[in-house]
Amino acid sequence: MSDAPATPASDALAPAQERAPGGFSRSALGRLLRHRSGSLGLVLTVAFAVLAVVGPWIAPYGPAVPDYTHLAKGASGAHWLGTDAFGRDTFSRVLAGARYSITIGLAATVIGAFVGGAWGLLAGFLGGWFDNVSMRVVDVLLAFPGILIAIGLVTITGPGVGPVILASAVFGIPVFARLARGSTLEVKGRAFIEAANALGVKRPRVMLKHVLPQVIAPILVYATLRSGSTLLVASGLSFLGLGVQAPAPEWGGMLSDAQLWLVVQPLMAFAPGIAITLAVLGFNLLGDGLRDVLDPSVGR
Amino acid sequence: MLLYTFRRLLQAVPTLVGVVVLIFFFVRALPGDPARLYAGTDADRATVEAIRQRFGLDRSLPEQFVYFVGGLARGDLGRSFRANMPVKDLLARHFRATLVLASIAIVAATLLGIMLGVAAARRRNSALDLGITSASVLGISTPSFFLGILLIYVFAVKLRVLPVAGSVSLKGIVLPAATLAVASLGTIARFARSSLLETIGNDYVRTARAKGLDPRRVINKHALRNALIPVVTIVGLQFGFLLSGTVIVETVFNFHGLGWLLIQSVEARDYPAVQGLMLVFALQFIVINLVVDVLYGLIDPRISYE
């Protein structure tokens, strides 16, 4: 299970010593578009994001509509990617499933990055006992392989879309917390923060106006890199039967059903499997590209 | 060195305490009544109560916690509800399978990963480099449950050369080990490639080249050794992730290791077994990180231990 393909949180993730202010400029986008694999990642990611919105509308059949006269059939003019064990159109299910799988993956990453980022920023900025306790808690969370935390949480909350988002978000929180704390500590030591403090700028303002903008770029890059593995964990939960439940067309769950029918109709497994792989590939390539363009020292 | 190892061990203690507390409360937070599950649906109240008492589930949480920690201190992990045997024996029975599986996978991923990464770095920007880098990122992006199903389809259904279900046998372990190895292989190859490229940019490599050494020799003798030092860290971390990856891969191949056992135990609300398994997974992870840290210092004498 590739639940953490990128380099995990470590000091290697600390931001570069000097970075031009306002990392996401137009030139950054231009450089990303000239970045060969990065631009491919951008295209794939945008395509899947669009699919998550329009997928259910452009699907030729309803994703849960059975056709008992066409069970587990191969590709045909009427069913481009064949049908599943209930005669449901596989192509339509993959299209409609984008809304589940992509939304869950993105939502979980955003929540994980936001909560973990805020936590790490606070811990690094405040220091003292709060920082100490926070980092011990992060140590404990990181002592468990990520997917175990997700499996544990989703077992407590029960199956469903919300629980999968929550579980996959928590999977990322300790990593983002550690990354944000590291960046915050590094920024805190720089001269312009000292200057702001000396000028009597209020502490919350220093944190939000001066530290936060410097910390946000590495978090954004890492969030993009991380969204691929988050999608893998989320669909993995559904594959294990702990996540989104049938008949919802979530890709991981579809693969789990399809494994039983592998001998009869392999298309049932190939279609959602290729969909997940391409989506994760898109996120990974985009993340690599962003890192190269914005900040070569993040998560090498 | 010894002092550093010792201090590193001490640092792991508070983490371990946190792990034990977290596991205890996690298992108690699971929905469902283990006593009722154990007794079966048609058992009467008295039977369920008797089972509750036998497992010590009628006691208060603090009492259960003291009992759990006391047991741990004696090396007793309790008795599995589902398998009706000591958790220690249950874990031992499934541990070997997972260890063999993960070890084969990490050895294969490391050897192949370093070979591919070095080959790609040697011919930077060539077709070979592009091929290896693309294959690596594809390997990282493919979900293990899809890759496993794909391999089953090709080798078990179509070619009929390997069995569908995995087991600790020469033939039975090939597909699950390959599935498990691919993502780590991609990560290690990418890391080895970038590490070697970075080393080649160093002054001493340029000096070696400038004095007219054979370019192959420069890489093999000078650059490679230094480039592989950070790879040790990534291999260690990958081994940790690999062990947790067994949860999904073992489910795909119905391979009866620790990961498979975890899913079975969670479904049966087998508190003691889940506790024991979580503890084993966390312990493995902590120990691996510790070993990597110490190993790193042994390989690279430049690292100081203050």
Side-chain angles (χ1 to χ4, degrees):
Chain A
M1 169 70 204
S2 47
D3 65 326
T7 315
S10 72
D11 295 338
L13 296 174
Q17 281 301 314
E18 294 302 329
R19 192 186 311 107
F24 284 92
S25 60
R26 187 175 292 160
S27 74
L29 184 64
R31 273 180 289 157
L32 182 66
L33 288 174
R34 280 193 301 277
H35 191 283
R36 191 169 44 183
S37 57
S39 55
L40 177 63
L42 184 65
V43 170
L44 277 172
T45 305
V46 170
F48 274 103
V50 170
L51 202 60
V53 178
V54 303
W57 300 332
I58 57 172
Y61 299 86
V65 180
D67 176 358
Y68 294 110
T69 56
H70 294 90
L71 300 180
K73 285 279 186 290
S76 67
H79 299 285
W80 292 359
L81 295 176
T83 58
D84 72 3
F86 296 95
R88 298 174 298 202
D89 182 51
T90 303
F91 182 56
S92 300
R93 284 178 69 73
V94 170
L95 287 181
R99 184 163 291 176
Y100 283 94
S101 303
I102 301 291
T103 313
I104 290 172
L106 285 181
T109 312
V110 170
I111 296 172
F114 186 80
V115 175
W119 187 14
L121 178 70
L122 267 176
F125 190 77
L126 294 178
W129 67 267
F130 180 70
D131 185 32
N132 271 327
V133 171
S134 295
M135 286 307 112
R136 291 293 82 74
V137 173
V138 165
D139 279 347
V140 170
L141 287 177
L142 286 177
F144 293 94
I147 188 158
L148 230 62
I149 299 254
I151 290 177
L153 270 174
V154 90
T155 317
I156 292 175
T157 56
V161 173
V164 173
I165 293 180
L166 178 79
S168 318
V170 172
F171 157 78
I173 287 176
V175 188
F176 282 108
R178 190 172 268 188
L179 172 67
R181 174 180 176 270
S183 307
T184 305
L185 285 181
E186 190 262 328
V187 173
K188 223 170 79 170
R190 284 201 239 156
F192 73 94
I193 299 296
E194 269 175 51
N197 285 331
L199 286 170
V201 181
K202 291 221 165 56
R203 301 254 302 156
R205 195 179 157 82
V206 173
M207 184 172 88
L208 295 176
K209 286 274 172 184
H210 299 279
V211 178
L212 181 62
Q214 303 290 318
V215 175
I216 240 166
I219 290 185
L220 266 174
V221 172
Y222 197 64
T224 316
L225 278 170
R226 189 84 181 172
S227 43
S229 32
T230 309
L231 181 60
L232 284 179
V233 164
S235 54
L237 290 178
S238 297
F239 177 81
L240 289 172
L242 305 169
V244 181
Q245 303 288 300
E250 200 281 337
W251 294 337
M254 286 173 69
L255 261 165
S256 169
D257 297 338
Q259 192 181 356
L260 298 169
W261 292 80
L262 195 58
V263 179
V264 183
Q265 192 42 262
L267 260 183
M268 258 161 75
F270 293 168
I274 291 171
I276 304 179
T277 308
L278 282 181
V280 176
L281 183 69
F283 287 134
N284 283 343
L285 291 178
L286 179 64
D288 284 346
L290 274 181
R291 182 199 51 202
D292 287 353
V293 167
L294 288 178
D295 187 348
S297 71
V298 176
R300 176 165 38 94
Chain B
M1 184 71 219
L2 216 65
L3 194 72
Y4 171 76
T5 311
F6 183 68
R7 195 149 40 200
R8 198 54 193 73
L9 267 169
L10 272 185
Q11 276 174 6
V13 172
T15 311
L16 207 59
V17 172
V19 164
V20 168
V21 174
L22 193 68
I23 287 173
F24 176 82
F25 285 103
F26 157 71
V27 172
R28 263 73 196 171
L30 287 174
D33 180 353
R36 172 148 290 286
L37 277 164
Y38 183 83
T41 39
D42 48 348
D44 55 48
R45 281 182 68 96
T47 319
V48 175
E49 273 321 303
I51 288 168
R52 202 184 306 284
Q53 270 182 24
R54 179 143 63 94
F55 291 152
L57 293 166
D58 54 332
R59 291 185 246 176
S60 70
L61 273 184
E63 273 179 293
Q64 287 188 41
F65 184 70
V66 170
Y67 183 75
F68 171 55
V69 175
L72 277 185
R74 292 192 309 272
D76 180 8
L77 289 167
R79 219 179 154 75
S80 158
F81 302 159
R82 192 178 65 95
N84 197 20
M85 56 154 57
V87 170
K88 213 166 37 173
D89 298 349
L90 184 68
L91 293 181
R93 179 185 285 183
H94 294 271
F95 182 70
R96 197 178 73 97
T98 294
L99 189 69
V100 172
L101 177 65
S103 303
I104 293 178
I106 196 67
V107 170
T110 306
L111 292 180
L112 276 172
I114 291 178
M115 272 166 55
L116 290 178
V118 170
R122 271 182 204 276
R123 295 180 190 74
R124 191 180 190 179
N125 294 331
S126 68
L128 181 75
D129 184 19
L130 183 68
I132 290 174
T133 349
S134 311
S136 301
V137 72
L138 192 63
I140 293 168
S141 306
T142 311
S144 55
F145 45 90
F146 177 45
L147 183 66
I149 289 175
L150 214 58
L151 292 179
I152 289 177
Y153 182 72
V154 174
F155 292 99
V157 177
K158 280 284 142 184
L159 301 176
R160 293 168 189 270
V161 286
L162 291 167
V164 173
S167 61
V168 186
S169 65
L170 199 58
K171 273 193 157 180
I173 211 158
V174 175
L175 291 184
T179 306
L180 199 54
V182 162
S184 294
L185 201 167
T187 307
I188 294 170
R190 270 159 64 111
F191 201 81
R193 175 183 176 274
S194 66
S195 178
L196 183 57
L197 285 178
E198 204 168 291
T199 316
I200 289 175
N202 277 336
D203 282 345
Y204 71 90
V205 176
R206 208 166 27 172
T207 309
R209 276 186 178 156
K211 71 179 187 184
L213 277 185
D214 172 27
R216 284 184 76 89
R217 214 179 133 77
V218 172
I219 289 187
N220 293 343
K221 273 271 171 189
H222 298 259
L224 205 52
R225 286 187 60 161
N226 285 314
L228 290 186
I229 292 173
V231 177
V232 171
T233 317
I234 215 76
V235 168
L237 288 166
Q238 284 301 317
F239 191 47
F241 292 121
L242 246 163
L243 284 165
S244 67
T246 56
V247 175
I248 284 184
V249 173
E250 288 180 2
T251 304
V252 174
F253 289 95
N254 194 25
F255 184 94
H256 292 199
L258 291 179
W260 173 86
L261 184 64
L262 176 69
I263 298 297
Q264 303 294 316
S265 306
V266 164
E267 278 171 6
R269 300 284 174 268
D270 190 346
Y271 284 5
V274 176
Q275 270 173 182
L277 280 159
M278 293 283 237
L279 199 63
V280 167
F281 275 109
L283 260 181
Q284 286 172 340
F285 217 50
I286 294 173
V287 168
I288 289 168
N289 285 339
L290 205 89
V291 170
V292 169
D293 271 6
V294 173
L295 212 62
Y296 200 76
L298 278 178
I299 300 172
D300 190 349
R302 286 171 303 184
I303 295 167
S304 62
Y305 299 100
E306 273 147 34

